[in-house]
Amino acid sequence: LDLQVIEGLPDYFYPDEHAKPEGRYLEPTPYDGERLGDWLETLPHSPQLPGGMTSTEMMAWGGAFALGDWQWDVIGERRSTDQLTLGRAMIATFLEACLDRGVTLHTETPATELVRENGRVSGVVVEHDDEERTYSASDGVVLNTGSYDWNRKMVEDLKQLPAEHAASVAVPGATGDG
């Protein structure tokens, strides 16, 4: 996973002596979606952002609400050539790694519970095709989740900002449940 610093976004507790003016937030570099073949169609689209730009570019172009200042030629070119950015680039990288390793993948299969044995996570319970299934894991379980933008308590605790003053373009399901 190739990552880059999102420029201009400070640490949660900046200017605390241990915080930094930037470097807390990372994003994937653009990813060539053609590498996924037919799996490219399974990747979700953000309902708020068009894709085709990095967060650093969006900030440099005036932010999430300055659509008139965005460089739509750059965005259009990337989208027309399946150059993925933001969350889609991250998901694509993990998806490609799974495909390369022969991992069996199920879509529309939410995890509902972690299985624990002898003090360690040994599997996961999922809902698949309207039935509950349990999968065992020999080397561990990876939880790949998003942020907490729509969880008022976490926003207030971690960003030290009243939730009603916070804005986000994250998907509505980004509630920190992971």
Side-chain angles (χ1 to χ4, degrees):
L1 176 62
D2 293 324
L3 297 171
Q4 61 192 16
V5 169
I6 300 175
E7 298 172 11
L9 281 179
D11 197 346
Y12 292 133
F13 301 108
Y14 186 76
D16 180 89
E17 65 179 292
H18 301 291
K20 297 190 181 264
E22 64 184 24
R24 162 68 173 88
Y25 292 96
L26 302 174
E27 68 178 334
T29 58
Y31 174 97
D32 181 4
E34 290 183 9
R35 292 164 38 188
L36 293 177
D38 291 340
W39 279 96
L40 176 61
E41 296 175 25
T42 67
L43 296 184
H45 290 273
S46 167
Q48 289 90 4
L49 290 175
M53 71 183 137
T54 66
S55 295
T56 296
E57 289 168 335
M58 180 176 56
M59 302 276 288
W61 299 339
F65 302 109
L67 280 70
D69 295 328
W70 289 359
Q71 293 185 18
W72 289 98
D73 56 332
V74 172
I75 293 169
E77 175 63 23
R78 285 191 185 138
R79 291 182 70 186
S80 71
T81 59
D82 292 324
Q83 296 302 302
L84 309 180
T85 58
L86 307 171
R88 291 187 89 213
M90 184 174 291
I91 294 167
T93 302
F94 293 138
L95 177 56
E96 181 181 24
C98 289
L99 295 171
D100 288 349
R101 288 161 179 80
V103 173
T104 301
L105 301 169
H106 300 286
T107 61
E108 304 297 323
T109 307
T112 59
E113 181 181 345
L114 295 176
V115 178
R116 294 172 179 85
E117 294 176 354
N118 301 320
R120 66 179 282 273
V121 175
S122 61
V124 64
V125 178
V126 302
E127 290 178 14
H128 183 72
D129 292 336
D130 294 325
E131 67 179 55
E132 186 175 275
R133 296 182 184 185
T134 301
Y135 291 97
S136 298
S138 58
D139 293 320
V141 173
V142 175
L143 295 177
N144 182 15
T145 66
S147 188
Y148 56 86
D149 296 48
W150 298 110
N151 180 319
R152 293 178 61 88
K153 180 167 179 16
M154 290 181 82
V155 166
E156 291 176 354
D157 289 350
L158 295 172
K159 291 188 177 179
Q160 298 182 340
L161 175 74
E164 62 268 12
H165 296 278
S168 176
V169 294
V171 296
T175 58
D177 56 339

